[in-house]
Amino acid sequence: MPARLIDGKAVAAEVLARVRAAVVRLTAGQRPPPTLATILVGDDAASQIYVRNKRRTCEEVGIGSRSHNLPADVAQSRLLELIGALNAADDVDGILVQLPLPPHIDTTEVIEYIRADKDVDGFHPYNVGRLAQRIPALRPCTPAGVIELLCHTGETFYGRDAVVVGASNHVGRPMALELLLAGATVTVCHRFTRDLAAHVQRAEILVAAVGKPGLIRGDWVRQGATVIDIGISRLADNRLTGDVQFEAASQRAAWITPVPGGVGPMTVAMLMHNTVEAAQRRRAR
Ligand code: NAP
């Protein structure tokens, strides 16, 4: 029987409805809305689309949005100065610097400069460290969104074999930490993994986060597995595709995310969730 589709748009809409309700509570009595500052450096077309989408979603859920667009040749010191001002601004709850940054910018220094309690992307070493120590604060958006999707399928995590393919700082690694926190037995595969097929074949929960179309062959997928495809690549004919061979994998999996319409909408929804959470934590102090 073909797999059931995990509808990321529908689950994201549920998350955004909860965010909207939280914003209404936070703004009761004329209090200011939670506010997200976004910083876009340069004119990369994909980054422009992502940032526009984030800014638009802020409007839809009632989150205040402050937009900062800097030229591609901006100096590191100027970018840090802006982040410093946003760190200090009482009316800013979350700061997002759209990645990737131009090569002359030190991305690690930029991420570490953002105040951890305003780091709504969840990339700051403090927030990743909290997740590693099972005391999560602001969680990296895409992995947190994947956990929401898995919960939506009724997935149980305890003792399940989960395999994450991809080990980047922002996606694969925190994904593995989320699954470990949830109680799964986690394997992380990367460029140097020997026999990727053997690991994939064992996975009851498979999460692909590489960015190589069709890297995961459909006939590797374990019968009845839940397959989450985070990868997004644009093909020559302009279509978007994931890392997993979708058609063949669908014949074996129990649940599978489409690309697009799977994980993508969840990332933005979790960013909104994190902005509200950051505001709630700051206002509770
Ligand atoms: P990345 O920084 O390029 O990391 C890719 C990872 O894949 C690296 O850990 C790399 O291993 C690993 N890898 C490369 N070739 C491999 C192979 N043959 N076998 C196993 N692992 C291999 O990319 P990223 O930022 O993590 O993003 C991954 C994908 O997710 C991209 O397509 C991106 O567009 C997509 N993405 C989607 C969303 C969304 O909202 N849906 C959000 C973020 C990212 P090494 O560590 O050894 O180099």
Side-chain angles (χ1 to χ4, degrees):
M1 205 170 70
R4 293 170 73 181
L5 275 189
I6 305 174
D7 184 347
K9 283 187 197 159
V11 182
E14 285 175 21
V15 172
L16 290 175
R18 293 202 297 268
V19 167
R20 216 174 274 117
V23 170
V24 169
R25 286 193 296 276
L26 277 167
T27 52
Q30 305 292 320
R31 280 177 300 171
T35 296
L36 173 67
T38 52
I39 302 176
L40 174 64
V41 180
D43 42 25
D44 175 71
S47 292
Q48 283 178 338
I49 293 170
Y50 290 139
V51 167
R52 199 182 312 138
N53 192 11
K54 289 165 186 174
R55 290 171 180 167
R56 192 187 318 122
T57 310
C58 280
E59 263 178 48
E60 285 167 13
V61 297
I63 289 177
S65 173
R66 280 174 55 173
S67 305
H68 300 270
N69 296 340
L70 300 176
D73 62 353
V74 69
Q76 174 98 5
S77 57
R78 169 73 193 100
L79 177 54
L80 295 183
E81 196 183 309
L82 172 58
I83 293 170
L86 296 171
N87 280 342
D90 207 36
D91 56 352
V92 170
D93 298 289
I95 302 169
L96 176 137
V97 179
Q98 184 65 38
L99 302 182
L101 290 166
H104 70 281
I105 299 282
D106 178 345
T107 302
T108 302
E109 188 183 18
V110 168
I111 290 172
E112 290 188 1
Y113 206 66
I114 297 171
R115 253 175 72 157
D117 62 352
K118 294 190 179 188
D119 164 45
V120 283
D121 249 342
F123 292 165
H124 193 287
Y126 174 82
N127 285 317
V128 179
R130 293 281 300 208
L131 181 59
Q133 294 190 350
R134 296 179 279 183
I135 40 174
L138 291 170
R139 306 160 99 126
C141 298
T142 302
V146 169
I147 295 294
E148 284 278 336
L149 290 179
L150 288 169
C151 290
H152 194 78
T153 66
E155 185 64 69
T156 55
F157 296 95
Y158 287 103
R160 304 267 278 160
D161 270 322
V163 173
V164 180
V165 186
S168 69
N169 283 353
H170 301 150
V171 188
R173 279 164 204 262
M175 186 71 251
L177 292 173
E178 283 283 359
L179 288 163
L180 192 58
L181 178 65
T185 302
V186 184
T187 302
V188 185
C189 300
H190 46 78
R191 201 178 298 275
F192 305 115
T193 297
R194 281 179 283 125
D195 203 353
L196 179 61
H199 290 289
V200 170
Q201 281 158 357
R202 262 191 313 104
E204 296 173 282
I205 301 169
L206 173 67
V207 183
V210 176
K212 292 190 177 166
L215 175 72
I216 313 286
R217 279 180 37 180
D219 60 358
W220 293 352
V221 169
R222 179 172 167 158
Q223 207 73 43
T226 298
V227 177
I228 306 285
D229 197 348
I230 299 179
I232 308 177
S233 305
R234 198 168 282 284
L235 298 174
D237 63 6
N238 221 26
R239 276 184 305 127
L240 292 176
T241 190
D243 294 337
V244 180
Q245 289 179 342
F246 181 83
E247 295 302 334
S250 299
Q251 296 307 313
R252 300 175 65 83
W255 292 92
I256 192 166
T257 54
V259 178
V263 177
M266 293 305 295
T267 298
V268 181
M270 297 314 290
L271 174 69
M272 300 299 125
H273 166 90
N274 277 357
T275 303
V276 163
E277 189 171 318
Q280 283 167 336
R281 283 172 190 246
R282 271 166 30 81
R283 291 176 191 193
R285 272 191 225 129

